[in-house]
Amino acid sequence: MFTWWADGSEKAGLDALQALFKEKYPNNTFVNLAVAGGAGTNAKAKLAADLQNGNPPDSFQGHAGAELQDYIRADQIEPVNDVIDTLGGAQVFPQNLLDLLTVDGSIYSVPSNIHRANVVWTNPAVLKKANITAEPADIDAWLADMAKLKSAGVATPLTIGGTWTQVQLFETVLIADLGVDGYIALFKEGADWGSAGVKKAVEHYTKLLSYANTASDGDDWPGAIDAAIGGKAAYNVMGDWAVAEFAAKNKKDGVDYQYFPVPGTKGVFDFLADSFTLPKGAKNPGGAKDWLSLIGSPEGQKAFNLAKGSIPARTDVPASDFPPYQQSAMASFKADKIAPSIAHGAAVSLAWNSDISTAISKFYASKDQATLVTDLVAAAKKNLA
Ligand code: GAL
């Protein structure tokens, strides 16, 4: 079983599933092939090589949407309609999610969860130093709060990690400045990555970085959230796997930490879903299907998502079984407009993600806004071709 949930709070989610799997399917042996590195930074290369060399795991973690389509197009995964049907199909999984897993009527994976990427996590004790109590309405108001924090002696208002966390921050600013429809249009034929809206987002993003810590390409996400948890910083934009990190550190929702959608993205749920596959040539397809059946069951979804910070992909797991953060995410997922995440495989293919990441990493060093826009335009042209 291949994932990138190798340590820390991410491993807790996988451990919860593994324990349940052992209980429900005692005749199977669970082999944990996790490769460390948030967002699959290291895992994806290893997985690509294993698939290429005809040495697939029995199941691997992928993202619903464009990333999964990559594996389907490369003929590397099998349909699992039988598993999805047995689990209850469209009666229990949202149709718009199933659509992201389907090509020509074949469904290619079982979703374990839904994560939200456009969340600001704050430390109220740090905000208090600058008397900030209200949620900023837009990016400009948020930048003004960061200036206040600086004046109040908070050296690092915002934290970032390595490149993928920067891509994720940037995508949320794109949503804020383009609106959800403008953002979604970026991934379709005729996309205009050179528009005034994208330029505005790049300008906002540059200003946000001026309030952030210095990061190296490979810095992972726990360091960035831990700085906010520990009172060294005020804000971190992170997917809601951050909830598991707060839980691991015994922090209390509303007391030790608060959260709100990235300013300007209220009413938008920047979405990604982990989903599990049956690779072509898996050596133990029966065991893999047991695993997929567990992941997709109400019990599996509850055990996993309680530990992971995400919400169930199934719609029939009661919200009341979850703590307040997940309850709020469940309500938002139902009510909000849905935007696909760039950094986590929903909006763009692996290749396009890699081109955007290269541009963002280059920009981190140069801060050359015009070049970033040119690189983004070129990446879209190449990958939409
Ligand atoms: C995402 C993944 C999440 C979480 C995150 C940080 O790509 O979908 O479940 O693991 O990376 O590693």
Side-chain angles (χ1 to χ4, degrees):
M1 237 296 307
F2 186 94
T3 68
W4 52 85
W5 299 327
D7 36 44
S9 59
E10 302 213 287
K11 186 169 179 290
L14 185 59
D15 285 349
L17 267 181
Q18 184 181 344
L20 199 59
F21 186 63
K22 277 196 176 144
E23 186 190 317
K24 300 273 169 193
Y25 299 95
N27 294 333
N28 283 308
T29 309
F30 183 96
V31 182
N32 189 344
L33 300 175
V35 173
T41 32
N42 309 316
K44 283 177 181 173
K46 165 88 168 80
L47 175 65
D50 286 351
L51 295 176
Q52 193 77 38
N53 298 333
N55 185 28
D58 282 332
S59 183
F60 66 84
Q61 166 191 9
H63 285 125
E67 184 184 304
L68 193 75
Q69 307 285 330
D70 278 342
Y71 299 118
I72 300 170
R73 232 174 297 124
D75 205 19
Q76 289 168 324
I77 52 178
E78 301 271 8
V80 290
N81 292 56
D82 52 343
V83 179
I84 291 281
D85 286 348
T86 308
L87 288 166
Q91 303 283 330
V92 300
F93 293 107
Q95 188 59 51
N96 57 356
L97 176 55
L98 289 180
D99 288 346
L100 296 175
L101 312 172
T102 305
V103 169
D104 294 337
S106 294
I107 303 177
Y108 283 90
S109 65
V110 176
S112 52
N113 60 317
I114 290 167
H115 269 304
R116 183 176 197 176
N118 59 326
V119 190
V120 180
W121 305 92
T122 77
N123 184 325
V126 179
L127 295 188
K128 214 168 157 213
K129 292 185 187 168
N131 292 319
I132 296 168
T133 47
E135 185 182 321
D138 54 24
I139 302 271
D140 287 322
W142 194 27
L143 286 164
D145 282 351
M146 290 192 198
K148 277 192 215 156
L149 284 157
K150 270 242 145 148
S151 308
V154 178
T156 312
L158 176 71
T159 57
I160 54 168
T163 303
W164 72 264
T165 72
Q166 296 162 30
V167 172
Q168 186 181 317
L169 174 63
F170 179 58
E171 83 188 31
T172 66
V173 180
L174 281 173
I175 299 170
D177 280 325
L178 295 172
V180 68
D181 295 335
Y183 173 79
I184 288 172
L186 291 176
F187 313 111
K188 295 193 177 137
E189 199 132 333
D192 184 5
W193 284 78
S195 70
V198 173
K199 286 181 183 149
K200 179 87 222 165
V202 167
E203 201 185 316
H204 272 148
Y205 174 64
T206 311
K207 286 187 183 155
L208 287 171
L209 288 185
S210 74
Y211 287 105
N213 57 296
T214 307
S216 305
D217 262 1
D219 288 352
D220 213 343
W221 68 272
I225 196 84
D226 288 352
I229 296 177
K232 293 205 182 75
Y235 307 110
N236 178 232
V237 172
M238 190 42 59
D240 47 15
W241 43 93
V243 170
E245 185 73 3
F246 289 112
K249 295 200 146 53
N250 291 318
K251 298 297 176 190
K252 288 214 164 37
D253 186 339
V255 178
D256 302 315
Y257 66 97
Q258 291 171 328
Y259 40 83
F260 51 81
V262 168
T265 72
K266 209 175 185 151
V268 183
F269 192 107
D270 182 10
F271 149 98
L272 60 128
D274 296 301
S275 71
F276 283 81
T277 59
L278 174 61
K280 276 224 158 118
K283 291 179 190 66
N284 182 7
K289 283 196 173 181
D290 289 344
W291 171 249
L292 297 177
S293 305
L294 178 80
I295 286 175
S297 70
E299 220 182 333
Q301 301 241 318
K302 182 176 163 183
F304 176 67
N305 288 295
L306 272 175
K308 187 67 166 46
S310 38
I311 59 174
R314 289 182 75 108
T315 52
D316 60 349
V317 184
S320 55
D321 289 355
F322 287 86
Y325 171 74
Q326 277 117 315
Q327 292 195 16
S328 73
M330 282 172 164
S332 293
F333 187 69
K334 264 191 218 142
D336 288 3
K337 291 192 171 166
I338 308 296
S341 168
I342 295 174
H344 305 284
V348 297
S349 63
L350 289 161
W352 196 351
N353 185 351
S354 156
D355 290 339
I356 292 173
S357 301
T358 302
I360 285 287
S361 166
K362 191 170 129 191
F363 176 75
Y364 186 73
S366 74
K367 302 292 185 305
D368 178 342
Q369 297 185 34
T371 303
L372 175 55
V373 173
T374 308
D375 287 350
L376 293 170
V377 168
K381 192 168 172 213
K382 176 178 149 201
N383 288 284
L384 280 170

